[in-house]
Amino acid sequence: MTRTEAPATSTEESSVVAKLSTLDRFLAVWILIAMAVGLGLGRAIPGMNDALAHLEVGGISLPIALGLLIMMYPVLAKVRYDKLDAVTGDKRLMVSSLVINWLIGPAVMFALAWIFLPDLPEYRTGLIVVGLARCIAMVIIWNDLACGDREAAAVLVALNSVFQVIAFGLLGWFYLDLLPQWLGLGDGQGLDVSVWKIALNVVVFLGIPLLAGFLTRRIGEKKMGRESYEQKFLPKIGPWALYGLLFTIVILFALQGKTITSQPLDVVRIALPLLVYFAVMWAGTFLLGKAIGLAYDRTATLAFTAAGNNFELAIAVAIATFGVTSGQALSGVVGPLIEVPVLIGLVYVSLAWRKKFAPSAVTTPGRDY
């Protein structure tokens, strides 16, 4: 997506849209088609979802890992790593991200799970697990599509990864075991997940593409120069981010197509608190970013990192702890299936809200790569 210096007039907007590739211009259409294709494949080909489910190593789905790596690599190759210190020095951004992701986010999901699913403990537990798994993968693409700050996204995702390894198990014990007992909501449930499984998840879904992106930029700039690297090389690999996204969506829906279509009412019950969660987390964080004086690009980054979740970790933990056919696992699966269309919709909302920022608070020029 092309980045602009100031809010565009209607004429400028038409010009920008005209310059977008067919893939960018009709992204929402391609995502809907990818969902439909995935559902169709999962229903039409006997045993396909089982075959895909068995393609895993260490609890990590290889097809999903492939799609996410292809999706994240081009975006991370665009990050200017020599500018990261400007992000880490922004205390408003860093503190806001930590508080929203690790204090507010899990608490909001806990409250919504109990409000919407008081009579369905398995689904409720699954939703709480989704809320504990902060996003370290797909948020990269949502942020880029919304013209967010790439360097800020890289830093916040890395920060979430560190806290995920440290805090996931502790927060699981607090929200699933200790807090329900304190509030008189009944006996809690344990969460059996090892630090090493979480660390492996972080290494695969962030470490590998981050290292590849860093080395690509370092070597590319050294051999080609920054200008040639950004204007010639990056446009060639850029479309692969969306190809990876569409591939991942097809695989996700193919894996769970039969489950989703055979339990539609259960899916709806799980989807309702998720819809409220994504809307509250994204809109609240976006308004917070604007209120504390962040520029549009960092406000968008803060909002998307707050709203997204690490679905792969949530699903893996739910399956390992409660079983592949459990209600907890179904909640984990419904999470990304709701998140994908909702957050792509919020990308368009974010771009529309960009006009409300002063010209000086909009993404700076020189980022059209």
Side-chain angles (χ1 to χ4, degrees):
M1 280 190 146
T2 301
R3 303 184 178 223
T4 56
E5 182 176 359
T9 64
S10 58
T11 302
E12 290 171 331
E13 286 174 349
S14 299
S15 176
V16 169
V17 171
K19 292 178 182 178
L20 294 176
S21 68
T22 302
L23 185 63
D24 284 333
R25 197 180 309 161
F26 299 105
L27 179 60
V29 176
W30 308 138
I31 286 179
L32 289 174
I33 292 174
M35 292 177 180
V37 169
L39 284 174
L41 290 174
R43 293 286 296 180
I45 302 178
M48 181 178 181
N49 54 348
D50 292 331
L52 289 173
H54 283 90
L55 290 174
E56 63 174 43
V57 174
I60 293 176
S61 168
L62 295 181
I64 292 178
L66 175 63
L68 290 177
L69 294 178
I70 293 172
M71 178 188 76
M72 293 176 67
Y73 165 69
V75 180
L76 290 171
K78 296 176 181 178
V79 172
R80 290 177 175 171
Y81 292 92
D82 57 338
K83 304 292 184 182
L84 295 185
D85 57 341
V87 177
T88 56
D90 190 339
K91 293 183 179 179
R92 293 172 302 173
L93 178 70
M94 301 292 285
V95 172
S96 296
S97 179
L98 285 176
V99 171
I100 292 167
N101 274 287
W102 296 101
L103 293 179
I104 297 177
V108 169
M109 187 67 91
F110 175 85
L112 291 173
W114 274 96
I115 290 170
F116 281 88
L117 302 170
D119 57 329
L120 297 170
E122 290 190 0
Y123 295 159
R124 184 177 64 236
T125 297
L127 279 185
I128 294 172
V129 172
V130 170
L132 299 178
R134 312 313 297 169
C135 194
I136 63 170
M138 272 196 174
V139 68
I140 296 288
I141 197 77
W142 306 137
N143 177 76
D144 210 54
L145 290 170
C147 298
D149 187 318
R150 290 181 184 130
E151 288 71 41
V155 170
L156 295 187
V157 164
L159 190 65
N160 275 346
S161 299
V162 173
F163 271 79
Q164 199 150 257
V165 174
I166 297 172
F168 186 89
L170 180 62
L171 289 175
W173 166 74
F174 177 76
Y175 281 107
L176 295 176
D177 191 9
L178 185 62
L179 188 56
Q181 294 185 53
W182 279 359
L183 297 176
L185 298 173
D187 295 333
Q189 288 185 298
L191 191 62
D192 182 19
V193 55
S194 71
V195 171
W196 300 114
K197 178 181 280 289
I198 300 171
L200 177 63
N201 184 275
V202 169
V203 168
V204 171
F205 294 114
L206 177 63
I208 293 175
L210 184 61
L211 179 62
F214 172 78
L215 291 177
T216 299
R217 178 169 276 276
R218 189 73 178 269
I219 296 170
E221 284 191 356
K222 187 175 181 180
K223 291 190 174 183
M224 304 171 62
R226 171 166 287 188
E227 184 176 351
S228 181
Y229 174 82
E230 292 182 351
Q231 295 184 8
K232 295 181 180 179
F233 176 73
L234 290 180
K236 292 180 180 179
I237 66 171
W240 283 95
L242 298 184
Y243 299 152
L245 172 63
L246 296 175
F247 174 80
T248 303
I249 291 171
V250 169
I251 296 298
L252 274 172
F253 278 73
L255 273 167
Q256 301 298 333
K258 186 175 181 180
T259 302
I260 294 166
T261 54
S262 63
Q263 297 177 255
L265 293 180
D266 288 351
V267 169
V268 171
R269 286 288 305 271
I270 298 168
L272 289 175
L274 284 168
L275 287 171
V276 175
Y277 172 82
F278 293 132
V280 168
M281 290 298 295
W282 186 89
T285 305
F286 197 99
L287 293 173
L288 172 65
K290 193 174 189 307
I292 63 177
L294 294 179
Y296 166 79
D297 51 0
R298 291 193 176 176
T299 297
T301 299
L302 186 64
F304 281 101
T305 51
N309 294 91
N310 185 348
F311 63 83
E312 179 66 17
L313 176 61
I315 294 171
V317 169
I319 290 175
T321 305
F322 304 105
V324 69
T325 59
S326 66
Q328 291 90 340
L330 179 60
S331 289
V333 168
V334 174
L337 305 186
I338 301 301
E339 178 178 333
V340 168
V342 169
L343 289 192
I344 192 61
L346 290 174
V347 166
Y348 290 101
V349 174
S350 182
L351 292 171
W353 281 12
R354 180 169 51 169
K355 303 173 189 176
K356 298 182 182 296
F357 285 75
S360 60
V362 180
T363 308
T364 54
R367 297 293 303 274
D368 298 336
Y369 55 86

